[in-house]
């Protein structure tokens, strides 16, 4: 097994033009939604990333036909005669991905049964999995524990119920939508997530024939239908990747045009980018981000569910804030353990302290739970090269930004993880003039 590393010589501004395609956090869910129909569905603007490969493999394992034109970015999915594969095969294909959990609603409708393996070492019974199970059981599914995971049965189909989310979880909202669109009766979902990726999934389901109404108070009503059709849809652009490259432009004092992205889904990010001192220009087919010179400004920042500042923008933005003058305070309210990546940044010369307290305008659900979920960033600091290891997808790209901004050589281990969510990132680095090369060790 090879361990791919990346050698980066930093200290050079990134300049040039790149292209982003469809959102990772939407595309995989839209591919799963194709199982709700017997007809062929076509999804366009699909990025060439590891997560798409994982979902395609899982769909094929369940009996679907998947044709993926990588150059055109188009996936055609025909469910065909579905069946449950061996659970060990599902576990092997999924790895650490939790996407098989979202297969349950469509499979219970199509087969009357579904299976959740013990995914990637994440033991059944963890809180996020528990909620998915609670929704499915409330809709009428029964579960039987086995050595490999959980077998779900719904021979009489699923029946609509009222669902109230204590927190607007994206995954929980997706699970409810995929289970409710063909359930008997009307589902009322309160406290739903309303991220752009959720709204695009609702658009796909509506194209398939679903009846879904979204109210202004995070309430969604889903009127179950007996049958759904295939869909043809173009995925919304990946706002996370666009924001990541924007932060890279800021941290390296560069100038990057991100084609394929749009202003509407990034307004909160753009406001923060401008407050810090970054400059941007919006075009019909993308946005140009650049460092206009002079000092960057420190800011207070809180992450939140949409329409707040997205948690996936937080990590690359923290890297940019290490170059801002003064003290920035970042309060993470969406994920409790998302500041672990700052330890490596400190080793590179950053001055970041993390705290258990809610250092923001509001107390959040992590405030009394002893989670280090607030960060104080003193800047500007001169970053220097180091040997670092990718902790997760977003943290990994943030390390890449730090290495590009740092003086000297950095070696980043585990970069294959970045392929999960960033299409052709090596080619894009080369196009932007970065000095970076892969080192493959057997």
């Amino acid at each position: 097994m090879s361990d791919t590393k990346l050698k980066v010589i930093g200290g050079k501004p990134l300049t040039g033009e790149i292209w982003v395609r469809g959102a990772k956090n939407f595309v995989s869910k839209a591919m799963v939604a194709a199982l709700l129909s017997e007809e062929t569905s076509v999804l366009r603007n699909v990025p060439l990333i590891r997560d798409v490969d994982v979902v395609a493999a899982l769909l094929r394992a369940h009996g679907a036909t998947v044709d993926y034109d990588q150059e055109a970015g188009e996936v055609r999915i025909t469910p065909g005669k579905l069946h449950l594969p061996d659970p060990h095969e599902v576990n092997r294909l999924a790895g650490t991905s939790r996407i098989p959990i979202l297969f349950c609603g469509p499979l219970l409708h199509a087969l009357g049964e579904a299976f959740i393996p013990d995914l990637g070492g994440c033991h059944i019974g963890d809180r996020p999995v528990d909620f998915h199970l609670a929704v499915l059981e409330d809709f009428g599914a029964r579960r039987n524990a086995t050595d490999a995971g959980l077998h779900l049965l719904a021979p009489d189909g699923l029946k609509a119920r009222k669902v109230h989310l204590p927190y607007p979880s994206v995954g929980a909202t997706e699970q409810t939508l995929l289970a409710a669109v063909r359930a008997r009766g009307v589902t009322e979902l309160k406290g739903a997530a309303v991220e752009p990726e959720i709204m695009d999934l609702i658009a796909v389901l509506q194209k398939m024939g679903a009846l879904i109404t979204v109210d202004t108070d995070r309430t969604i009503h889903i009127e179950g239908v007996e049958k759904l059709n295939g869909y043809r849809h173009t995925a919304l652009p990946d706002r996370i990747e666009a924001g990541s490259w924007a932060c890279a432009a800021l941290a390296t004092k560069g100038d990057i045009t991100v084609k394929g992205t749009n202003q509407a889904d990034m307004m909160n990010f753009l406001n923060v980018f401008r407050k810090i001192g970054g400059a941007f220009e919006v075009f019909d087919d993308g946005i140009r981000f650049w460092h206009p010179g002079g000092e960057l400004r420190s800011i207070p920042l809180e992450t939140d569910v949409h329409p707040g500042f997205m948690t996936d923008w937080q990590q690359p933005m923290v890297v940019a804030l290490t170059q801002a003058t003064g003290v920035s305070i970042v309060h993470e309210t969406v994920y409790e353990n998302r500041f672990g990546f700052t330890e490596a940044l400190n080793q590179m010369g950053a001055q970041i302290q993390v705290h258990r307290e809610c250092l923001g305008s509001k107390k959040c659900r992590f405030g009394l739970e002893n989670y280090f979920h607030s960060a104080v960033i003193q800047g500007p600091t001169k970053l220097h090269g180091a040997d670092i290891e990718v902790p997760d997808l977003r943290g990994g790209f943030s390390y890449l930004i730090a290495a590009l901004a740092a003086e000297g050589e950095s070696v980043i281990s585990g970069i294959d993880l970045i392929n999960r969510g960033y299409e052709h990132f090596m080619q894009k680095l080369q196009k932007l003039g970065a000095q970076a090369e892969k080192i493959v060790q057997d």
Side-chain angles (χ1 to χ4, degrees), residues 19-32:
W19 189 276
V20 299
R21 289 204 278 193
K24 166 190 174 292
N25 287 352
F26 160 77
V27 167
S28 56
K29 321 306 167 50
M31 291 173 69
V32 173

Side-chain angles (χ1 to χ4, degrees), residues 149-366:
L150 292 178
H151 190 203
L152 301 180
L153 294 169
D156 298 325
L158 301 180
K159 187 175 181 181
R161 288 286 188 271
K162 289 186 177 182
V163 179
H164 184 269
L165 301 182
Y167 182 80
S169 160
V170 169
T173 301
E174 292 164 343
Q175 182 70 266
T176 305
L177 287 169
L178 293 171
V181 286
R182 289 186 57 190
R184 297 190 303 276
V186 178
T187 298
E188 181 183 73
L189 171 58
K190 286 186 172 292
V194 292
E195 271 69 7
E197 295 80 9
I198 292 287
M199 301 310 294
D200 215 26
L201 179 60
I202 290 175
V204 163
L205 295 171
Q206 187 179 59
K207 286 182 177 181
M208 298 178 76
L211 296 170
I212 304 173
T213 303
V214 182
D215 296 338
T216 57
D217 62 349
R218 294 187 177 275
T219 299
I220 300 177
H221 291 92
I222 308 109
E223 184 175 340
V225 296
E226 188 173 328
K227 182 180 178 181
L228 291 174
N229 308 311
Y231 67 81
R232 300 181 68 87
H233 189 77
T234 300
L236 82 168
D238 196 314
R239 60 194 177 120
I240 303 173
E241 183 178 359
S244 298
W245 290 113
C247 291
L250 208 55
T252 66
K253 298 183 179 179
D255 187 334
I256 300 175
T257 297
V258 183
K259 305 292 285 293
T261 192
N262 64 60
Q263 179 184 11
D265 295 336
M266 297 194 67
M267 287 189 169
N268 203 309
F269 177 89
L270 294 174
N271 287 337
V272 171
F273 192 84
R274 178 171 281 164
K275 286 179 182 178
I276 291 172
F280 64 87
E281 184 178 6
V282 178
F283 304 104
D284 289 342
D285 61 348
I287 304 175
R288 175 191 170 204
F289 300 93
W290 75 95
H291 190 307
E295 292 185 346
L296 299 180
R297 297 182 289 272
S298 57
I299 59 166
L301 179 64
E302 284 185 293
T303 66
D304 206 346
V305 296
H306 189 76
F309 189 86
M310 192 181 193
T311 180
D312 288 311
W313 288 326
Q314 177 257 108
Q315 290 165 299
M317 185 59 74
V318 163
V319 179
L321 287 173
T322 66
Q323 304 308 301
T325 299
V327 177
S328 295
I329 298 174
V330 180
H331 181 209
E332 171 63 53
T333 74
V334 179
Y335 289 120
E336 62 269 31
N337 287 314
R338 208 150 206 191
F339 282 122
F341 78 105
T342 60
E343 183 177 344
L345 297 183
N346 285 337
Q347 293 173 5
M348 299 177 74
Q351 295 182 24
I352 304 172
Q353 294 180 329
V354 292
H355 299 269
R356 295 183 179 91
E357 293 77 15
C358 295
L359 301 182
S361 62
K362 62 181 181 181
K363 291 185 177 181
C364 73
R365 57 200 175 122
F366 309 133

Side-chain angles (χ1 to χ4, degrees), residues 66 68 78 103 116 123 131 190 208 229 280 288 319 441:
V66 182
Y68 182 15
T78 305
F103 274 64
I116 304 177
H123 300 295
F131 181 83
K190 286 186 172 292
M208 298 178 76
N229 308 311
F280 64 87
R288 175 191 170 204
V319 179
Q441 297 181 336

